[in-house]
Amino acid sequence: MLKFDSLQTLFSDLNPKCYYSSGRTRYYQRERHDILRWRQSSEEMEKMLLRCTLYCRTRSWVGDYHRREYPPFLNIGLIHSGETAIRSGGRCYLAKPGDLFFLAPETKYELLTPRSCERSALLISGPVLESILREGEGTRSPVFSAGDAAVAERWFERMNVLLPESFRLPVCREISGLCFELLQYLSCPAQKPALPAILQNVLEKLRQDYGKSMEMKSLADSSGISVSTLTRLFKQHLGKTPHQYLIGLRMRQAARLLEQNSFSVKEIAGLVGYGNALNFSTEFRKFFGRSPRSWRTAGSSPTSRR
């Protein structure tokens, strides 16, 4: 097992080949891997506001190296076996089996295989990705444990099945929804350790009843604690207030319903807990930077492209 203080030396004297250059975006590699699976999306996927453009699973040998400078996509990976060394933001990390790596768009990062490794990766992009990443609180470290890796792996395997069918609009919408689910999972994993039982119960209630009228006092009372204690627990463990967490749940579900195109904006407002459609639209615009109608039009119009 490599020690963290020795990781920096792995990235010296590599002399990789630049295989892509456009503006300030550049990709380099020393290719020492076998591609086990490779799935790309069709042009139809470009209609989605959040999209997965690529799924791949590779078996990498010692010395396999990739460097990306300012890519336009988010790179999410899962280590199945072996190890992957990652350098991002001037720091080095070692990803081991069961670990996820989360490499943000418009940054610089490197991946190197110090020991034979099998890993999967998803590339996610779209015009709303930036606003979603700004909202997330649990995705700041490039490498972290997935806990139960099978939970995360289900998203990767589902993308493997769906991407070949992405020429069909309903499949594109399902892929987009899975991207939202994965990002939400990464921002607050269900298996995240050290959450007090009281907080876990409150989170479960919010996830089940986000569409109902909900007062923080009644939520706190039902858990036998004060509103101030409830707020402290949320800020300490999730980095946000109960109200902010609830808004996030409602807005992401609303976005998925808008892409399904099965309900009117007014109906969706009611489904996610807003009695007033205008209040819902105002909150949606504040959260995503565009109106619900604009979101729906951009996500479903045959002529929209990003």
Side-chain angles (χ1 to χ4, degrees):
M1 179 77 64
L2 287 170
K3 295 182 179 180
F4 282 89
D5 58 7
S6 67
L7 289 177
Q8 191 74 30
T9 60
L10 294 176
F11 293 94
S12 303
D13 304 320
L14 292 173
N15 298 316
K17 176 184 178 182
C18 180
Y19 66 94
Y20 179 83
S21 178
S22 177
R24 68 173 187 167
T25 301
R26 290 182 174 83
Y27 305 152
Y28 301 80
Q29 71 177 15
R30 276 179 43 180
E31 193 173 16
R32 295 180 180 175
H33 61 252
D34 291 335
I35 297 174
L36 305 178
R37 298 175 191 166
W38 183 274
R39 307 284 188 262
Q40 287 182 287
S41 63
S42 70
E43 291 184 2
E44 196 73 14
M45 196 72 223
E46 293 296 312
K47 299 172 182 176
M48 300 295 104
L49 296 172
L50 190 64
R51 49 190 177 257
C52 177
T53 57
L54 174 70
Y55 161 81
C56 66
R57 182 161 177 156
T58 58
R59 183 175 294 118
S60 298
W61 313 113
V62 175
D64 187 51
Y65 172 80
H66 303 266
R67 181 167 90 229
R68 292 194 173 111
E69 299 179 357
Y70 308 108
F73 49 76
L74 168 66
N75 184 354
I76 299 176
L78 175 64
I79 308 299
H80 302 287
S81 64
E83 296 175 340
T84 294
I86 295 173
R87 182 160 66 176
S88 175
R91 299 186 61 184
C92 292
Y93 307 83
L94 188 64
K96 298 171 289 185
D99 284 349
L100 287 159
F101 59 82
F102 184 99
L103 302 170
E106 300 300 330
T107 61
K108 295 181 180 181
Y109 56 82
E110 300 164 87
L111 299 95
L112 177 69
T113 303
R115 298 174 58 190
S116 297
C117 175
E118 189 166 320
R119 60 180 178 253
S120 294
L122 298 172
L123 303 186
I124 296 177
S125 60
V128 300
L129 178 61
E130 182 180 354
S131 63
I132 294 173
L133 294 181
R134 280 201 308 266
E135 179 67 16
E137 295 291 340
T139 52
R140 291 178 178 171
S141 174
V143 175
F144 51 95
S145 173
D148 182 1
V151 175
E153 192 161 355
R154 280 196 287 269
W155 274 286
F156 289 80
E157 287 302 316
R158 188 63 182 150
M159 292 296 187
N160 174 52
V161 172
L162 290 175
L163 280 173
E165 298 292 317
S166 61
F167 59 88
R168 298 193 294 120
L169 189 56
V171 174
C172 290
R173 289 174 177 154
E174 183 175 354
I175 291 172
S176 185
L178 287 173
C179 290
F180 275 102
E181 289 182 15
L182 178 56
L183 291 176
Q184 185 170 344
Y185 169 82
L186 293 175
S187 70
C188 183
Q191 79 289 349
K192 203 170 186 176
L195 286 182
I198 289 177
L199 183 55
Q200 292 182 35
N201 292 336
V202 172
L203 291 177
E204 184 61 28
K205 182 173 178 60
L206 288 173
R207 293 181 187 121
Q208 290 180 357
D209 299 336
Y210 64 84
K212 300 178 181 178
S213 177
M214 197 172 296
E215 296 290 335
M216 291 302 112
K217 187 177 186 311
S218 61
L219 188 65
D221 289 345
S222 67
S223 301
I225 57 177
S226 66
V227 173
S228 61
T229 299
L230 181 65
T231 301
R232 178 180 58 79
L233 287 172
F234 266 80
K235 287 186 174 180
Q236 178 183 346
H237 294 279
L238 302 176
K240 59 186 70 178
T241 67
H243 180 70
Q244 289 170 332
Y245 184 88
L246 176 60
I247 293 298
L249 285 177
R250 287 174 167 174
M251 292 302 104
R252 292 187 181 95
Q253 179 62 13
R256 294 179 62 191
L257 291 171
L258 285 164
E259 288 203 348
Q260 290 173 13
N261 215 19
S262 300
F263 302 95
S264 69
V265 171
K266 183 177 180 180
E267 288 172 329
I268 291 173
L271 288 170
V272 299
Y274 289 83
N276 186 303
L278 180 59
N279 291 343
F280 163 71
S281 295
T282 300
E283 195 70 62
F284 191 94
R285 183 185 290 275
K286 186 189 303 182
F287 191 87
F288 283 118
R290 63 179 65 205
S291 70
R293 296 188 189 282
S294 172
W295 182 285
R296 167 168 283 169
T297 300
S300 61
S301 170
T303 59
S304 69
R305 289 288 183 270
R306 292 293 188 274

